[in-house]
Amino acid sequence: MERRPRARLELSDRAWQVLAQAGGNVAVLHRHLTAAGGQVPSLASLYRVVHRDLEAGRTLPDRAVVRRDREERHTRQAMADLALASPRQGDVAEAVLRLPRSSSTAASAVPVGESGAVAGVGLPAGAQLVRTPSVRAVAEPVGQAMAAEGAVCVFGDPGRGKTVAVRMALSVVPAVWKVTWVPVPVRPSVAGMRRAVFDALALPGRFPHTSALADAAVAGALGEARVLVIDEAQRLPVPCLEYLQSLCDHPGTRITLVLCGAGTERALARLPQLASRIAAWQEVPRLAAAQVAPVVTGFHPLWRTVPAEDLAWIDQSCAHGTFRTWAALTTHLQNALLTTADTSLDRALLARLCQRVAPPL
């Protein structure tokens, strides 16, 4: 008599994924199936099935590769959910303080000295960074570009807070991402730009004597998730932009390129190949008239003693929505109140300070 055929035990693709994540440990797979419920084969049967399929030619991916892919998926999902745009979600909510006097949602203050939030940014004594709508508008495309490992261009007139907005956006990135700021040399060449990237990455050893060795060292360091920020990118000529494009196009690099500076959009227009790779073009506008009062009062408590009509007059006659001008006025106002006795904070003092920060015609 012929032997009656028996049902063959087969493992699903999901079971093989669990086995690969466990590094081929069959006992971990057995515990996973037991926790999932249902009819579970014995541990000995699982060993026989895995051994049979491996001998038939099935292979398990390397455990490090599986772990890296899983971390990348989690990071991409977290970046897509967060988008670096909402300071009210998750752990970022702890970093946002309410304004002591104003309940307006147009701006929220970030405490000075917070990790990554004010690195490289000089503030007057007692001042706080303010998370304005423009800052949140910059943070969203930066987060989306990081999720897709793309490029983003942040542009706008000088003094609008482009660099500060990028720094505040990158202060809440996951720890698996490394942020590197590359200073752009004056009148840069390709060799100077290559050296600037090499030094910014803090690579060990001396700078290689050939460009091929330097490019290999830089590409090796950019093999992990990293944000490469090029501030004052409007200085870059076409050859330097082509060098940055080569870093993005290298098959072994995993970088998000952030190009920031006044006139960067015009510099990128000279190289359409790189401009076509920009995933988002984000302009930092001037402060709107309705945003001036909540922003400057959140920036420094000294402005809370100034009437709202005087704040509007300063913005209309002097600052014109430029945040850098407001920071300079804050410093001059502090010095005037500290150095001169019985100084009254009136329109005459404000007019004199506005003339001090206004450029001569």
Side-chain angles (χ1 to χ4, degrees), residues 242-312:
E242 290 176 341
Y243 171 71
L244 295 177
Q245 178 185 338
S246 68
L247 295 180
C248 296
D249 295 343
H250 193 283
T253 59
R254 300 178 54 246
I255 63 175
T256 297
L257 188 62
V258 179
L259 300 171
C260 179
T264 303
E265 75 284 4
R266 295 189 295 271
L268 289 173
R270 299 194 295 265
L271 186 63
Q273 297 90 332
L274 181 57
S276 64
R277 289 167 171 78
I278 301 297
W281 302 81
Q282 182 61 48
E283 180 181 7
V284 178
R286 299 178 183 270
L287 282 175
Q291 299 173 357
V292 169
V295 167
V296 298
T297 54
F299 175 67
H300 201 282
L302 193 59
W303 294 111
R304 298 170 189 169
T305 61
V306 179
E309 56 271 14
D310 287 345
L311 295 177

Side-chain angles (χ1 to χ4, degrees), residues 148-229:
E149 292 185 7
V152 61
C153 175
V154 181
F155 61 96
D157 290 343
R160 294 186 181 181
K162 300 177 294 297
T163 302
V164 176
V166 173
R167 289 186 180 275
M168 294 177 67
L170 296 178
S171 66
V172 294
V173 301
V176 295
W177 285 82
K178 296 182 179 180
V179 180
T180 301
W181 288 75
V182 180
V184 176
V186 179
R187 298 183 180 274
S189 61
V190 176
M193 195 66 198
R194 182 181 287 111
R195 180 63 181 265
V197 174
F198 185 91
D199 294 340
L201 293 174
L203 298 180
R206 300 179 60 183
F207 183 71
H209 61 281
T210 63
S211 59
L213 293 177
D215 291 342
V218 170
L222 296 179
E224 55 184 352
R226 187 181 294 268
V227 181
L228 211 61
V229 184

